[in-house]
């Protein structure tokens, strides 16, 4: 594989979870040395549900600092805020005009987030067109995401193809980059739902900034299945299989190794060890996070990142506008 362009993003709508880390951020870090990477804090996506201004500002800076704390090197990867690069909002409108209502109505994330709500913002509906713009602006070949973003990626690919068909080859059709293990970390209280920072039950997710004692408490209360064996069997033992996935991803072991290590042992012993494995995996990240926040370096990192991102994004936006027939300013 030659050097590829990589883009991904995480919404700044709450605290990041272990699911974000395992499903997406670990791959951000793994890709940064081989490829040309752009990692974005999706603050424009965050406002598709109401956000309190001070909280939004704090969360956006916090997510940026977590990117660095998780091991992203800002001299390699560009780390930036979506709202700092105005081309995102602009291409989003152009992509919206190319997106069919039916395509947006089929999005499972929209159905989940709007279900049972009285006033659903139009931004929530149009969210996938903005996400397509994010990716297409950077001519990204690879998009590291968790499993739940597959459908949005598919729409992005369709939009790129539709654009190229109507207006001539302009946009790169991206590929999702999804981990084989850990693409969908489930809730600690219900393994049929994905672990999510927007779950009102805080016991259902582990935040990357939870203290060791909170992590121990949450894991000791995590739901388990009937029986007592530690075996990886998603249909029959969904809860334990999820905990084993977390164990494997945080310790660097394979699922087979985890299963072999706990043969003949019960849930209690396994959970106790799992808590320590998670605490240890998060300890260096939390330490680095505290350093990054107290140094104030994040502002310069975001300024540099936005400058690098804007240069690429503006070029693509201009090609798109030219292809669509907008009159160039310089004429
Ligand atoms: P979000 O928090 O929705 O902005 O998601 C940011 C990234 O984390 C996306 O690539 C998601 O697919 C990924 N992600 C979120 N929750 C999980 C989860 N429970 N398991 C695996 N990946 C996840
Ligand atoms: N929609 C993504 C999520 O909720 C976040 C996101 C926004 C994103 N823009 C993106 C992910 C571009 C990958 C590429 O997880």
């Amino acid at each position: 594989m030659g050097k590829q362009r990589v883009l991904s993003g995480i919404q700044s709508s709450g605290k990041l979870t272990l699911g974000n880390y395992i499903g997406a951020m670990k791959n951000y870090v793994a890709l940064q040395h081989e490829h040309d990477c752009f990692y974005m804090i999706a603050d424009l996506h965050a406002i598709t549900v109401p956000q309190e201004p001070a909280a939004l500002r704090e969360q956006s800076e916090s997510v940026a600092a977590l990117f660095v704390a998780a091991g992203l090197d800002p001299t390699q990867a560009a780390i930036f805020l979506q709202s700092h690069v105005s081309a995102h909002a602009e291409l989003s409108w152009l992509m919206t005009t190319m997106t069919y209502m039916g395509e947006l109505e089929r999005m499972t994330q929209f159905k989940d987030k709007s279900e049972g709500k009285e006033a659903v913002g139009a931004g929530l509906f149009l969210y996938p067109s903005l996400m397509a713009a994010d990716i297409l602006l950077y001519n990204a070949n690879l998009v590291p995401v968790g499993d739940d973003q597959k459908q949005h990626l598919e729409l992005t690919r369709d939009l790129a193809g539709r654009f190229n068909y109507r207006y001539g080859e302009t946009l790169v059709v991206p590929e999702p980059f999804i981990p084989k293990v850990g693409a969908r970390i489930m809730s600690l209280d219900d393994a049929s739902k994905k672990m999510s920072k927007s779950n009102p039950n805080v016991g259902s997710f582990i935040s990357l900034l939870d203290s060791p004692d909170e992590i121990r408490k949450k894991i000791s209360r995590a739901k388990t299945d009937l029986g007592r064996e530690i075996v990886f069997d998603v249909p029959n033992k969904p809860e334990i299989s999820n905990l084993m996935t977390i164990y494997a991803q945080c310790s660097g072991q394979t699922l087979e190794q985890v299963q072999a290590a706990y043969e003949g042992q019960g849930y209690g012993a396994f959970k106790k060890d799992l808590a320590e494995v998670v605490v240890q995996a998060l300890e260096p990240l939390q330490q680095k996070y505290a350093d990054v926040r107290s140094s104030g370096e994040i502002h310069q990192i975001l300024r540099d990142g936005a400058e690098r991102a804007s240069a690429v994004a503006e070029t693509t936006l201009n090609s798109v506008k030219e292809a669509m027939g907008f009159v160039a300013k310089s004429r």
Side-chain angles (χ1 to χ4, degrees):
M1 193 162 50
K3 199 164 178 146
Q4 310 259 343
R5 178 61 66 66
V6 176
L7 176 118
S8 194
I10 297 189
Q11 298 183 71
S12 48
S13 48
K15 293 187 160 58
L16 296 200
T17 71
L18 201 54
N20 294 128
Y21 179 70
I22 294 173
M25 285 162 81
K26 273 183 83 179
N27 270 339
Y28 293 6
V29 177
L31 291 165
Q32 69 175 338
H33 296 294
E34 306 296 324
H35 302 292
D36 185 19
C37 296
F38 289 82
Y39 295 124
M40 176 186 82
I41 295 95
D43 50 0
L44 298 176
H45 274 109
I47 60 162
T48 55
V49 295
Q51 301 289 339
E52 206 271 302
L56 178 66
R57 201 170 291 123
E58 162 57 26
Q59 284 306 326
S60 297
E61 291 184 5
S62 168
V63 174
L66 278 169
F67 277 11
V68 178
L72 287 181
D73 174 356
T75 65
Q76 299 268 341
I79 298 173
F80 67 100
L81 295 174
Q82 191 180 25
S83 62
H84 283 182
V85 181
S86 55
H88 289 259
E90 193 170 349
L91 185 63
S92 168
W93 172 250
L94 305 181
M95 285 299 137
T96 295
T97 65
M98 303 202 45
T99 312
Y100 300 120
M101 301 278 286
E103 288 175 317
L104 296 173
E105 280 159 2
R106 278 197 292 279
M107 293 292 141
T108 54
Q109 182 172 307
F110 172 71
K111 289 195 246 181
D112 291 348
K113 287 197 178 178
S114 58
E115 202 180 80
K117 301 236 164 70
E118 258 175 40
V120 176
L124 199 59
F125 189 60
L126 294 169
Y127 177 119
S129 306
L130 173 60
M131 178 160 161
D134 297 338
I135 297 167
L136 299 174
L137 277 175
Y138 297 88
N139 296 316
N141 313 99
L142 295 180
V143 184
V145 283
D147 196 54
D148 61 332
Q149 296 302 312
K150 244 193 208 155
Q151 202 186 18
H152 291 154
L153 248 295
E154 214 35 65
L155 177 65
T156 304
R157 290 167 54 83
D158 289 346
L159 287 173
R162 190 172 301 156
F163 189 97
N164 291 342
Y165 179 76
R166 281 194 200 164
Y167 301 113
E169 276 310 309
T170 311
L171 298 171
V172 173
V173 181
E175 297 282 344
F177 188 87
I178 296 176
K180 288 202 178 62
V181 176
R184 186 174 278 265
I185 299 296
M186 307 316 267
S187 268
L188 298 180
D189 62 345
D190 178 359
S192 70
K193 293 195 304 222
K194 75 162 188 172
M195 182 181 282
S196 164
K197 55 195 171 201
S198 52
N199 191 322
N201 173 12
V202 295
S204 72
F205 61 85
I206 292 175
S207 155
L208 295 181
L209 297 174
D210 278 347
S211 70
D213 280 342
E214 282 168 311
I215 294 171
R216 291 186 185 107
K217 196 158 85 190
K218 287 180 180 182
I219 291 180
S220 77
R221 292 182 183 166
K223 197 171 163 204
T224 45
D225 309 286
L226 290 175
R228 65 182 305 277
E229 302 81 39
I230 313 296
V231 285
F232 189 78
D233 175 356
V234 178
N236 296 309
K237 300 200 115 192
E239 312 287 345
I240 283 297
S241 300
N242 184 45
L243 297 180
M244 289 174 78
T245 303
I246 294 174
Y247 192 117
Q249 288 294 304
C250 289
S251 66
Q253 294 180 35
T254 62
L255 288 165
E256 292 77 14
Q257 285 170 326
V258 176
Q259 184 164 315
Y262 287 92
E263 210 186 315
Q265 300 195 52
Y267 294 157
F270 171 71
K271 277 178 153 187
K272 229 176 160 110
D273 290 355
L274 171 62
E276 296 317 309
V277 162
V278 174
V279 166
Q280 270 178 32
L282 294 185
E283 195 183 83
L285 183 150
Q286 295 184 350
Q287 188 62 51
K288 183 89 197 275
Y289 176 82
D291 294 346
V292 174
R293 285 310 298 260
S294 62
S295 75
E297 66 195 279
I298 207 65
H299 300 105
Q300 188 59 41
I301 290 173
L302 291 174
R303 271 197 294 276
D304 292 347
E307 199 176 315
R308 284 162 68 188
S310 293
V312 177
E314 286 296 333
T315 306
T316 310
L317 180 63
N318 284 333
S319 319
V320 165
K321 288 169 82 175
E322 162 90 28
M324 290 179 87
F326 289 98
V327 177
K329 254 196 210 153
S330 56
R331 285 189 65 156

